[in-house]
Amino acid sequence: MSYRIYRRALIEENKWRAARYGIEGKLIDFGKECEVPMRDLAVELLAFVDDVVDELGSPQRRRSTCTRFSTKATSAERQLAVYQQTGDLRAVVKHLVDETRGGVTAPRSASAHAIN
């Protein structure tokens, strides 16, 4: 399999979509010539590089990090979940501080985000 060269405008479009919509968005699959969910493309990319990832070192860690990326909620999704649960932007900020201090965790219940 060889790499294809695509027009810069197409690459820029996908970069914009990724920045705007994140992992939940759709990107252009240039081979299929249609829009597909970003998560599907991430899984496809993992399958594509799987046979060479061992040569890069720490293959299990790379696979688990990439799998988590393609299957878990993004920071933006977690922030929205906190806001939807609490209706309080201060709770969102507290959540971000907690994530930064302790690592990424699933959103906690609304009552856990109350600010004293």
Side-chain angles (χ1 to χ4, degrees):
M1 177 181 261
S2 64
Y3 291 97
R4 295 183 184 114
I5 298 175
Y6 296 104
R7 292 187 336 200
R8 183 175 183 93
L10 293 173
I11 303 298
E12 292 297 323
E13 173 69 17
N14 268 358
K15 285 173 62 176
W16 182 86
R17 288 172 180 230
R20 170 64 177 90
Y21 301 108
I23 191 98
E24 291 301 319
K26 290 185 177 183
L27 299 182
I28 301 168
D29 183 321
F30 303 126
K32 295 176 184 173
E33 297 182 354
C34 64
E35 292 181 322
V36 296
M38 167 55 190
R39 288 186 193 271
D40 293 353
L41 282 178
V43 170
E44 189 176 315
L45 177 62
L46 289 174
F48 179 71
V49 300
D50 191 56
D51 59 336
V52 295
V53 76
D54 294 337
E55 298 171 19
L56 300 174
S58 304
Q60 195 58 37
R61 181 181 169 134
R62 288 183 199 283
R63 283 186 185 101
S64 66
T65 299
C66 292
T67 301
R68 185 178 68 240
F69 167 76
S70 65
T71 60
K72 301 292 182 194
T74 65
S75 178
E77 291 167 334
R78 292 188 300 274
Q79 291 170 51
L80 287 170
V82 171
Y83 184 75
Q84 289 169 349
Q85 291 173 0
T86 66
D88 185 359
L89 290 175
R90 293 175 297 170
V92 175
V93 172
K94 182 174 183 330
H95 170 76
L96 286 170
V97 169
D98 291 346
E99 272 194 354
T100 301
R101 286 185 178 152
V104 178
T105 59
R108 293 173 281 175
S109 67
S111 60
H113 287 286
I115 301 203
N116 299 327

